[in-house]
């Protein structure tokens, strides 16, 4: 196979993967948003079938030959073509580590496991889920060993979510958060709680839907390229830069829940929408690793969305749609309600200050499970002990404890740190952005375009053309510095709670 | 290949087709309901890719060998296995008539043509669409000739929508409708118009959505197996008996429009939901031909949905949701409003009496186009002339004339007659059903289960296990008799308008 043949084989493989991944993404989005409940088994079968074909195409010997040819000629390739080959090679290497029958069996295990987790969570029945978690941990440990037996298994898994990430970055990061934030959290918990009574009213869902439209407009998200669905656990799915889907959930008694889901998922969407045209259709289209994706979503959600200027912009919108509920509320009250900090049980509902502690606890547990020091049977006890130690809360049941998140049930071990890391990246990006852009002027004007353009230039447009490390450097304007995140949180909550 | 090998090859092919068709159906449904506007090109590409694979699998020589083996051993096959082979053979024969490159080019033409039609309709610009229609007609004529040069081309096309259908059935059918109904229509037009002022108010869409929930409940449609989407031109998509999707559209100023869309599409859904378990996953799952599908949708929409007893059931539901709009309205007023008859321009909004005349006009035009007597350039003139002659209306522009329907733009020529034929089948089925079931007692009780169970037994459960002719006979309890339809319409409208 010569270089030209290899390049056209690459084009062809990308076209194939694009079609199958588009179909899979659509089936998944549909399944999570509008599909009727009993549709799951047939959808699982179809998705298994299509995933099997992706596995077959990526692991095919011809694909190996094509990638070898390309990577043996790295120097004569454009950056784009080189990265296309590298990114596919990584994917292929992961898939070829696992024999096809073992891969299919694991897919089947995960499908069952997600269902079991779902029911176990409802029933707060950890023992029902534990045997599945046991198998999933064993699979991940085996996978990590096959991939690189020389490194700690958990590091190998972390690297799968962000190339280059290991305990060497994360141990000191989470140590710092524990050391610096835990005392602040306990101090804040003693202060008077802001007045949030205006939130404890009915906000009709059909009006919340209109509010979503306005929020997306303020964020500058084109509805011709991005739709909004409704689901239980909000997520974003991006097929290409002209077809991104965010999701939210509406609770009549919790107007801020949908608002911040929309702003968070909107951040993911802006990333996908901002990838350069010339990367579309290739494996480089779409956002980079999970932590970078979370850096964008949590940037919009917290740094912008929970800022005073943004609350000032939202206030008249809320008053127009909910005049009686919002009577007597001013921007400062909204700001304080949106930033209510309180040690709590549920990660996805946690405020900015306590959020990373939830993640830290999962990090410690995952590391211990994979490195072999912790049995799955001991997870609930350890979970509850750490929640008490770091957040001062008693976990009443596993539903609100170690069964709350779905990640482990679909095999995602090593994923959680992305949330905290992304939050920290985002703060450093903001500080860097403030040197170039009048961020708060833009927010006050209700037009986030200058903010998004800056992120587009530094992060979004590059897709996977740059490595995660290069993108972090590009956004942060220097090496990652977790102190920046800690300083930001201490300042923000110090002012809010007069510490 | 021996018989056992052929049977397992059949199972495998069905599993493959099921996965691709599920993915295609999902992409289509998503595209028509929730996808953002700019998603169309990439979706078209993905759907083209997946359709190409279906074409490849069905036309593969191994598939031919498998089907030949099965059909050579018809006598030793179960009815189910024989029909699986026969139905696939028909599909394969159609696909193998067209070389792969011509097939792909035609798919491309249709994708463009649908877009052009859409824009041409908006602009009422028939000349923009005419060249596409010209090519589509030529393709269909060529296809029909290849398939069976000995028969009139239009008959070959009709046969593709309902096996066995030809002008020999349709000519006398439409003659009868013209002769018997045209005078009634003109007579009705002279009578006083019922009072429909209560409809000319705003019916908020979020309340109409709740009304849909109630209507589906009355119809006995399980929401765990059937979801409702929103779209411009309502349709139904069925993936399997546990995953059916109906769609509707909401207009604040037209509450009956969504109501009857839901009841119509709900009829399609009940058909798909009622197919026997043992046919699931095979090519026999899902409803039979288009006319049988329309017999079910129009049965529920008109025969049940526009009956006095059903209006009596709906009235309190409407009053509960729309108390001010429905103040002073009684069941008889609702019944008369739901059955307002008036010669009009738009097929999909036509009442029961005039509906089949709209279809008859399309039948005559299609036949003349395909048989070569009518140039596409002359369509608007002929269309307008016939609307004047049979319905007494002047067509003001092509948007409300020959560009109103999408069917020709996606190559469906020979499809329209199904609507009228299905309507007529439905009436005969009702008369047959009344012998076994207390239809109106069930409707009055707000529980359509006895009605649906009867149809399930006679039609739904058989999927494609029986031929269309066998199913018509099963439902109608004898040979098709178009007089039954005419009598029904004359009686209903005679009473309504005191003719």
């Amino acid at each position: 196979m010569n270089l030209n043949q290899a390049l056209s084989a690459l084009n062809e493989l990308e076209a194939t993967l694009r079609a199958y991944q588009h179909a899979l993404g659509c089936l998944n989005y549909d399944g999570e948003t509008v599909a009727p409940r009993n549709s799951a088994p047939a959808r699982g079968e179809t998705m298994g079938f299509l995933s099997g074909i992706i596995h077959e195409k990526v692991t095919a010997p011809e694909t190996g030959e094509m990638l070898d040819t390309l990577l043996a000629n790295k120097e004569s390739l454009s950056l784009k073509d080189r990265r296309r080959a590298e990114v596919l090679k990584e994917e292929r290497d992961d898939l070829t580590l696992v024999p096809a029958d073992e891969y299919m069996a694991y897919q089947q295990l995960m499908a069952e496991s997600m269902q079991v987790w779902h029911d176990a969570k409802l029933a707060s029945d950890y023992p029902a889920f534990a045997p599945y978690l046991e198998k999933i941990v064993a699979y991940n440990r085996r996978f990590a060993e096959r991939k690189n037996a020389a490194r700690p298994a958990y590091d190998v898994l972390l690297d799968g979510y962000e190339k280059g990430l290991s305990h060497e970055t994360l141990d000191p990061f989470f140590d710092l958060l524990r050391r610096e934030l835990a005392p602040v959290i306990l101090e804040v918990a003693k202060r008077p709680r802001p007045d949030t009574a205006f939130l404890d009213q009915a906000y009709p869902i059909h009006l919340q839907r209109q509010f979503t439209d306005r929020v997306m407009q303020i964020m500058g998200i084109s509805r011709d390229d991005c739709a909004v669905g409704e689901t239980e656990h909000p997520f974003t799915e991006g097929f290409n830069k002209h077809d991104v889907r965010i999701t939210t959930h509406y609770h009549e008694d919790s107007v801020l829940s949908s608002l911040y889901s929309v702003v968070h998922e909107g951040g993911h969407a802006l990333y996908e929408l901002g990838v350069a045209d010339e990367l579309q259709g290739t494996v480089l289209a779409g956002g980079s690793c999970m932590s970078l994706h979370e850096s964008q979503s949590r940037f919009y959600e917290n740094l912008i969305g929970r800022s005073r200027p943004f609350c000032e912009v939202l206030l008249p919108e809320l008053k127009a749609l909910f005049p009686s509920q919002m009577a007597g509320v001013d921007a400062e009250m909204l700001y304080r309600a949106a930033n209510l900090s309180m040690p709590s049980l549920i990660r996805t509902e946690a405020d900015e200050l306590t959020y990373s502690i939830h993640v830290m606890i999962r990090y410690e547990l995952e590391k211990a499970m994979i490195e072999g020091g912790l049995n799955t049977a001991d997870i609930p006890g350890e979970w509850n002990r750490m929640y008490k130690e770091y957040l001062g809360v008693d976990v009443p049941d596993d539903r609100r404890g170690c069964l709350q998140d779905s990640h482990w049930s679909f095999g995602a071990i090593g994923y959680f740190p992305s949330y905290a890391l992304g939050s920290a990246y985002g703060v450093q990006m903001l500080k860097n952005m403030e040197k170039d852009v009048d961020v708060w002027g833009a927010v006050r004007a209700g037009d986030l375009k200058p903010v998004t353009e800056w992120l587009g230039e530094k992060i979004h447009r590059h897709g996977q053309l740059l490595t995660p490390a290069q993108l972090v450097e590009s956004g942060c304007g220097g090496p990652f510095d977790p102190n920046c995140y800690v300083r930001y949180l201490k300042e923000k909550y110090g002012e809010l709670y007069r510490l």
Side-chain angles (χ1 to χ4, degrees), chain A residues 162 267 271 288-300 303-304 418 420-437 439-440 450-452 454-460 462 467-482 484-485 487-488:
Chain A
E162 180 185 319
Y271 193 172
S288 178
C289 62
M290 286 318 307
S291 52
L292 274 154
H293 238 303
E294 289 299 323
S295 78
Q296 302 306 291
S297 54
R298 293 188 56 81
F299 180 96
Y300 284 94
L303 310 186
I304 302 296
S418 313
L421 212 48
S423 304
Y425 291 161
V427 171
Q428 206 174 339
M429 289 177 195
L430 173 64
K431 299 300 161 196
N432 191 28
M433 184 190 296
E434 282 173 340
K435 297 177 203 156
D436 301 330
V437 177
V439 176
W440 305 111
V451 170
T452 303
W454 190 93
L455 288 169
E457 205 49 46
K458 302 286 181 187
I459 310 280
H460 304 171
H462 303 293
T467 64
Q470 289 171 325
L471 289 166
V472 170
E473 179 102 18
S474 167
C476 296
F480 170 51
D481 173 15
C484 185
Y485 179 45
R487 266 199 309 276
Y488 158 82

Side-chain angles (χ1 to χ4, degrees), chain A residues 215 219 256-257 259-268 293-311 314 334-341 347-357 359 418-428 430-431 434 439-440 443 448 451 455 485 488-489 492-493 496:
Chain A
V215 170
M219 290 183 78
L256 295 191
S257 171
L259 164 62
Y260 287 109
S261 281
V262 168
V263 184
H264 178 98
E265 304 304 334
H268 284 304
H293 238 303
E294 289 299 323
S295 78
Q296 302 306 291
S297 54
R298 293 188 56 81
F299 180 96
Y300 284 94
E301 177 193 349
N302 292 318
L303 310 186
I304 302 296
R306 288 192 162 91
S307 69
R308 271 199 182 87
F310 198 72
C311 289
L314 291 181
L334 179 60
Y335 174 65
R336 287 180 181 268
N339 288 289
L340 174 70
S341 178
R347 176 184 61 85
T348 56
E349 292 163 17
D351 58 89
E352 246 183 306
L353 179 63
T354 56
Y355 184 83
S356 291
I357 300 299
V359 175
S418 313
Y419 293 115
L421 212 48
S423 304
Y425 291 161
V427 171
Q428 206 174 339
L430 173 64
K431 299 300 161 196
E434 282 173 340
V439 176
W440 305 111
V443 176
L448 302 188
V451 170
L455 288 169
Y485 179 45
Y488 158 82
L489 288 174
K492 177 168 180 174
Y493 285 88
L496 264 162

